[in-house]
Amino acid sequence: MKLIIYHLYPDLLDLYGDRGNVLALAARCRWRGIDVDIRKVSLGDPIDFAEANIIVLGGGSDREQSILVDDLSSRGTELKDAIEDGLVLLTICGGYQLLGQYYQTGEGKKIPGLGILDLYTVAGNKRLIGNVIIDIESGLKKNISWNYSSNVDEDSSQRLNTLVGFENHSGKTYLGSKLKPLGKVLRGYGNNGEDNREGVRYKNVFGTYLHGPLLPKNPHMADLLIELALERSGNVSKLLPLGDNIEVVAHKAIIERFGSNR
Ligand code: GLN
């Protein structure tokens, strides 16, 4: 069994070490005997969408977004078709914004997005920065198999129903009425600091403002992406449990430390 992970623009979109998410996916696969091929793709490099199992698109500043948007748009049709076909995508902050209709910068310049998701982003006049805790959207909770640790399957009190992370953006993102968020904000700002929503989920596409080590901090989210990718490629989707006690303790420590500000 093998998964091909495409890491898009690692040289441009790697704010706060978003590439750690690719490493976490690869490690969690390899620990289970699943081979992983990581392909780094930057401006002009080819992508074989038919072969791709997971695509990761990190975050970056307005400047980097402007540099790569034309290159990304040239792949827009193929990417859209693959998404409709169930390709698994993790997009973070600047990468998440680029899937939408547009991102309007603080200077009023509109960077066109790919228009794949019905959302748009407008820069506000203050940066939305800090630790974030979200309650995972209820429909999505059912998809998470909670097998991140060998001994917690039966113990619902051990289940992680939250995602924790760190955000830093000025863009405020608004979802179209048919789109579901990734979760409800318990702490932090999320999509726009106004509607208590964080991120987006559409088919197997996930967008979020949670930067940096999202997947190391949220092993259940990492496993969800792996399971969806395996399922789509017709492989066994039940993952072997891993001993994630340290990850679970770390996740809970963040919740205890920052709690809720709602
Ligand atoms: N440029 C975008 C913003 O500030 C994205 C920033 C990021 O990826 N952290 O909203």
Side-chain angles (χ1 to χ4, degrees):
M1 221 180 328
K2 178 170 158 183
L3 287 183
I4 297 176
I5 302 176
Y6 273 93
H7 186 188
L8 267 53
Y9 312 109
D11 48 343
L12 292 166
L13 297 180
D14 189 31
L15 218 53
Y16 305 113
D18 289 331
R19 76 192 180 94
N21 293 316
V22 176
L23 301 180
L25 287 171
R28 297 185 72 79
C29 284
R30 289 185 183 130
W31 289 335
R32 293 169 163 122
I34 302 165
D35 285 338
V36 179
D37 183 0
I38 299 173
R39 299 187 185 168
K40 295 181 184 170
V41 166
S42 195
L43 303 173
D45 297 337
I47 302 178
D48 187 339
F49 284 98
E51 274 196 345
N53 298 111
I54 300 179
I55 288 186
V56 177
L57 187 61
S61 70
D62 297 5
R63 182 177 161 272
E64 279 92 25
Q65 283 173 281
S66 308
I67 292 173
L68 64 85
V69 66
D70 286 348
D71 188 83
L72 186 61
S73 298
S74 71
R75 314 170 193 269
T77 311
E78 276 185 292
L79 182 60
K80 185 176 183 346
D81 291 349
I83 286 173
E84 292 304 324
D85 188 53
L87 177 64
V88 177
L89 236 85
L90 174 64
T91 64
I92 295 171
C93 203
Y96 163 37
Q97 295 171 352
L98 287 172
L99 290 188
Q101 310 292 356
Y102 61 85
Y103 169 54
Q104 185 176 306
T105 68
E107 296 77 45
K109 182 183 153 207
K110 262 192 188 169
I111 302 175
L114 301 190
I116 293 177
L117 300 184
D118 181 22
L119 57 90
Y120 66 92
T121 305
V122 178
N125 46 18
K126 74 163 187 171
R127 293 201 72 79
L128 308 179
I129 306 179
N131 287 284
V132 193
I133 303 174
I134 71 169
D135 182 31
I136 298 170
E137 206 267 320
S138 54
L140 191 55
K141 280 178 191 162
K142 288 185 222 122
N143 292 28
I144 295 183
S145 55
W146 316 109
N147 57 5
Y148 50 84
S149 180
S150 47
N151 58 0
V152 298
D153 248 359
E154 299 308 316
D155 180 358
S156 58
S157 68
Q158 285 286 312
R159 291 182 177 178
L160 303 179
N161 284 308
T162 39
L163 294 177
V164 298
F166 180 81
E167 64 186 327
N168 183 356
H169 52 110
S170 62
K172 295 172 157 196
T173 296
Y174 300 90
L175 305 183
S177 58
K178 292 202 186 103
L179 279 180
K180 286 226 158 43
L182 191 52
K184 192 174 98 192
V185 177
L186 298 177
R187 162 135 206 143
Y189 299 98
N191 281 346
N192 49 48
E194 293 160 16
D195 61 17
N196 272 2
R197 304 170 112 197
E198 205 299 308
V200 70
R201 189 215 175 160
Y202 171 74
K203 295 200 172 194
N204 289 338
V205 178
F206 299 87
T208 179
Y209 274 110
L210 275 53
H211 253 299
L214 168 70
L215 299 183
K217 281 180 177 171
N218 299 284
H220 47 319
M221 178 79 193
D223 284 358
L224 173 66
L225 301 178
I226 296 169
E227 281 188 348
L228 291 170
L230 289 175
E231 208 168 84
R232 176 169 178 256
S233 61
N235 283 298
V236 199
S237 69
K238 264 272 161 239
L239 293 177
L240 288 176
L242 297 173
D244 280 332
N245 292 335
I246 291 175
E247 286 83 348
V248 173
V249 168
H251 184 107
K252 290 187 170 175
I254 293 173
I255 291 175
E256 266 169 42
R257 193 148 116 210
F258 298 109
S260 162
N261 62 353
R262 302 285 135 175

